[in-house]
Amino acid sequence: PKPCEVTPAIIMKSYACQRRTPLKHHNSFLTEPLEILAENAEFSENEGRSLAFRRSAAVLKALPRAVRAMDELKDLPCLGEHSLRVIKEILEDGASSEVESTRQSEQFQAMKALTGVFGVGVRTADRWFREGLRSPLDLIHTGQKLNHAQQAGVQHYNDLNTPVTKKEATVISDIVERAVKAVLPGAIIILTGGFRRGKEVGHDVDFLITHPEEGAEERLMPKIVNWLDEQGLLLYQKTTRNSYLESKEGPARPPSNMDRFERCFSIFKLEQTKVNSDTQVEASSYNSSTTDRTEEYHSGSTWRAVRVDLVVSPYSQFAFATLGWTGSKLFERELRRWAGQEKGMSLSSHALYDSKQQRYLQANSEEEIFTHLGLEYIPPSERNA
Ligand code: GTP
Ligand code: MN
Ligand code: MN
């Protein structure tokens, strides 16, 4: 080919936090199967294997075009032997036998259904699976002992497994804004998680709250929760206090995966004012498991359950919290791995510690954190690794 027709080599950096990963990409036909295998590895608590599949998928998400042949992959990082085998099979046969048999397997389907219950992790789901349980209905029929979160999870199973739309997220943003402003004027609220990355739908809606006056945010969560509860907007909530205030050691070092912010896992009762089609009414009455909802339906209004996460951060940590709660999960993991392995630093949602200088590096924005880490700034919409 003439020189101008030569396809330029793709330079793919090996850490996901060094690359731009848009939400919409060209290789879903490969990344979805690889993520099935990642999920299946998580179900058997094989973290290393899961991470390997997720990293492979993330590399393919960052490619500027669809993969057509194996030789296009030869200079790409992170693609292990197993992933390459799966990709090859899909390119040649249109599907991977391993992925398809995983998808069809009773264990995968049961684990998916059981971990799909809010409050149920892999350990619990696996125990139930080994006891012969396969679905949320089995939990009810066999009278399993459930904690409060799991009870709410079973009760609102259909709603919570119905993706939250951007429109619903906006309505919830307005409610959260009203609640926070009512109990702490001057507070700042931002939408984090998948919606900040530009996702059209999510499994929940995530918020981060702070106040420019350091300390004004202390013990804020119970006030927000009370306000919401008084308005009848909460179906479930569990608030975890800021463990940070009680400990004297200062910001986590080395940072653990779990942070120590005051946070609230909740389920909102979201009014759906307009019911303009029969199918919509049918869908929501099919969902209903409480007499409460039947009454709402008869009175002409209806509602649905939506998962909402609220996190409160001190102003001095707000940039770290924003970065830490925006995701994606893999992008976050890769940021922390980069910090540790390449920079001798440790990054958490609270702080960045430089081991060489033996000091914390302050930041007032996400941009400053990327700069401290020696990384090019990646905007939220390109963190969809
Ligand atoms: P969907 O909600 O599925 O649409 O995607 P999402 O990216 O919003 O996922 P999720 O709501 O689960 O998490 C949002 C962000 O919060 C991700 O970056 C997670 O890594 C982060 N996150 C979730 N739980 C914790 C936690 O306990 N500690 C910290 N530090 N981060 C968390
Ligand atoms: Mn989310
Ligand atoms: Mn969340």
Side-chain angles (χ1 to χ4, degrees):
K2 283 177 271 173
C4 61
E5 283 171 6
V6 172
T7 331
I10 293 158
I11 297 158
M12 181 75 66
K13 299 278 182 55
S14 65
Y15 288 80
C17 56
Q18 295 175 287
R19 322 186 281 253
R20 293 174 176 264
T21 313
L23 187 62
K24 290 190 181 118
H25 60 89
H26 312 277
N27 287 292
S28 309
F29 74 110
L30 297 172
T31 60
E32 277 170 14
L34 288 168
E35 283 173 341
I36 293 279
L37 297 182
E39 201 176 9
N40 196 48
E42 274 148 32
F43 290 157
S44 41
E45 293 187 80
N46 193 336
E47 275 247 15
R49 193 178 160 93
S50 154
L51 200 51
F53 287 128
R54 294 214 182 270
R55 286 212 191 105
S56 298
V59 163
L60 303 178
K61 289 178 192 177
L63 287 173
R65 55 188 166 264
V67 174
R68 299 240 189 105
M70 291 304 284
D71 69 350
E72 295 168 30
L73 305 175
K74 62 182 188 306
D75 296 324
L76 299 180
C78 306
L79 298 175
E81 200 188 324
H82 198 154
S83 294
L84 286 171
R85 201 160 70 229
V86 171
I87 295 166
K88 185 163 186 276
E89 219 184 328
I90 297 170
L91 290 176
E92 286 171 1
D93 308 337
S96 145
S97 52
E98 183 185 4
V99 173
E100 296 319 310
S101 69
T102 300
R103 250 196 252 272
Q104 299 305 318
S105 82
E106 190 180 25
Q107 180 164 16
F108 180 79
Q109 289 184 1
M111 288 298 285
K112 187 107 183 141
L114 294 170
T115 57
V117 177
F118 171 65
V120 177
V122 165
R123 292 262 166 88
T124 306
D126 185 60
R127 178 164 49 80
W128 285 336
F129 176 75
R130 285 184 283 107
E131 287 168 12
L133 307 180
R134 298 292 177 264
S135 75
L137 276 180
D138 291 346
L139 300 178
I140 300 169
H141 294 151
T142 58
Q144 288 298 313
K145 199 167 174 285
L146 302 174
N147 64 31
H148 288 290
Q150 294 162 347
Q151 283 172 30
V154 169
Q155 203 172 352
H156 305 294
Y157 186 78
N158 288 328
D159 277 358
L160 299 185
N161 282 285
T162 303
V164 185
T165 63
K166 208 145 80 186
K167 213 169 175 184
E168 289 171 322
T170 307
V171 173
I172 290 169
S173 297
D174 290 342
I175 295 170
V176 170
E177 197 121 333
R178 248 186 295 138
V180 175
K181 294 276 154 79
V183 299
L184 182 64
I188 297 164
I189 304 124
I190 64 160
L191 189 61
T192 58
F195 286 110
R196 183 162 184 253
R197 302 196 309 276
K199 280 180 70 175
E200 295 289 333
V201 293
H203 99 282
D204 66 358
V205 193
D206 306 284
F207 295 95
L208 178 63
I209 301 154
T210 189
H211 191 283
E213 190 187 315
E214 189 90 357
E217 83 295 341
E218 278 176 37
R219 306 280 184 254
L220 175 59
M221 197 69 87
K223 293 179 199 158
I224 300 171
V225 169
N226 275 341
W227 191 95
L228 291 167
D229 204 29
E230 278 167 11
Q231 311 277 317
L233 293 164
L234 291 181
L235 295 163
Y236 169 89
Q237 70 85 18
K238 184 172 164 54
T239 300
T240 313
R241 289 210 328 184
N242 183 346
S243 56
Y244 206 79
L245 295 174
E246 282 92 53
S247 76
K248 297 178 193 95
E249 20 158 349
R253 176 166 57 99
S256 63
N257 212 338
M258 281 300 283
D259 63 47
R260 301 188 286 174
F261 292 122
E262 203 181 21
R263 61 177 290 181
C264 176
F265 299 101
S266 73
I267 301 175
F268 271 44
K269 180 174 177 176
L270 184 64
E271 294 295 333
Q272 298 179 309
T273 43
K274 265 191 289 167
V275 178
N276 42 23
S277 80
D278 288 352
T279 50
Q280 226 174 321
V281 173
E282 250 169 44
S284 51
S285 59
Y286 162 77
N287 268 344
S288 87
S289 53
T290 60
T291 51
D292 187 21
R293 183 184 301 228
T294 315
E295 280 161 27
E296 302 254 353
Y297 158 60
H298 284 306
S299 72
S301 93
T302 185
W303 55 269
R304 88 169 191 98
V306 178
R307 275 271 298 113
V308 175
D309 280 341
L310 304 171
V311 180
V312 171
S313 127
Y315 199 63
S316 60
Q317 300 175 16
F318 190 57
F320 297 98
T322 304
L323 180 59
W325 283 86
T326 296
S328 69
K329 283 190 187 90
L330 184 69
F331 192 90
E332 301 293 339
R333 282 192 82 130
E334 292 280 279
L335 271 176
R336 292 193 296 267
R337 191 167 70 95
W338 168 269
Q341 293 188 353
E342 306 294 329
K343 294 283 152 182
M345 295 182 186
S346 59
L347 174 68
S348 73
S349 297
H350 297 283
L352 177 62
Y353 184 78
D354 185 330
S355 307
K356 262 181 270 157
Q357 300 185 53
Q358 297 196 20
R359 67 181 186 100
Y360 288 98
L361 306 177
Q362 306 303 311
N364 291 312
S365 65
E366 289 181 312
E367 284 87 342
E368 286 178 39
I369 304 172
F370 280 88
T371 303
H372 285 318
L373 290 168
L375 290 168
E376 184 198 333
Y377 178 68
I378 309 286
S381 62
E382 311 273 355
R383 296 181 203 159
N384 288 292

